[in-house]
Amino acid sequence: VWKVRIVSCVPGSPMDCAAMTPTASPTAEPTPDPAAALQGCTWVAYAETSGVEHFIFKLNFNEDGTMSYMAGWYMSEVAYQGAGTYTADGERITYTLSSDSFEPAQMSGSIAYTLSDGQLTLSASEGDALTYLLESGSLTFAVEGSAQDVPPTL
């Protein structure tokens, strides 16, 4: 039978190393950036305007908070193009856009959005700068070239 009166840690012993080795503390998972789901592709949408004419919209969101857009008649060389900045919080995209092609030359605002099944839906509310572009109040975009990207039949 052993009777222990004192325990001494000898420098360099396993007991000493265990006492000196810091234990890992739990770290919180980084919060994903809601804007990341918008980035890395071209979003495209088509809107019928008069039964035979279609409008096409394209959006690109970049990692650095910049964006570009194109809006014009489908199968036409006429298009409005511009660029701007944006932030996204998971529910709204806040933007500032500029263009040399239309008036006003700069517009800014905030628009509701949802992402579901590989599609982006923008929903404008009254007073939003994009309301005049989104005559229906909402517009659903698909990733260009994906199965959901179905151009209109002319």
Side-chain angles (χ1 to χ4, degrees):
V1 172
W2 291 74
K3 291 186 179 181
V4 177
R5 291 172 142 203
I6 191 166
V7 175
S8 298
C9 291
V10 178
S13 72
M15 183 67 114
D16 184 48
C17 290
M20 293 175 24
T21 304
T23 58
S25 60
T27 57
E29 289 291 320
T31 305
D33 178 8
L38 300 169
Q39 301 164 354
C41 62
T42 297
W43 294 97
V44 62
Y46 308 92
E48 187 174 318
T49 58
S50 64
V52 291
E53 297 180 314
H54 293 81
F55 218 65
I56 182 171
F57 300 89
K58 290 187 178 186
L59 300 172
N60 289 62
F61 298 96
N62 303 310
E63 289 181 29
D64 64 359
T66 60
M67 65 178 291
S68 60
Y69 69 92
M70 186 281 300
W73 299 109
Y74 181 63
M75 301 297 286
S76 168
E77 293 180 16
V78 178
Y80 301 108
Q81 296 185 32
T85 59
Y86 78 99
T87 59
D89 65 9
E91 294 179 13
R92 298 194 71 77
I93 297 171
T94 302
Y95 60 88
T96 299
L97 302 174
S98 60
S99 173
D100 295 333
S101 311
F102 64 84
E103 288 296 325
Q106 185 169 5
M107 62 180 160
S108 60
S110 176
I111 190 165
Y113 78 98
T114 56
L115 282 168
S116 178
D117 298 324
Q119 295 185 316
L120 166 67
T121 301
L122 299 180
S123 301
S125 55
E126 192 171 327
D128 188 284
L130 292 179
T131 303
Y132 76 94
L133 286 177
L134 306 176
E135 292 176 4
S136 65
S138 68
L139 191 58
T140 299
F141 292 77
V143 174
E144 187 172 45
S146 71
Q148 290 101 338
D149 176 13
V150 181
T153 346
L154 302 177

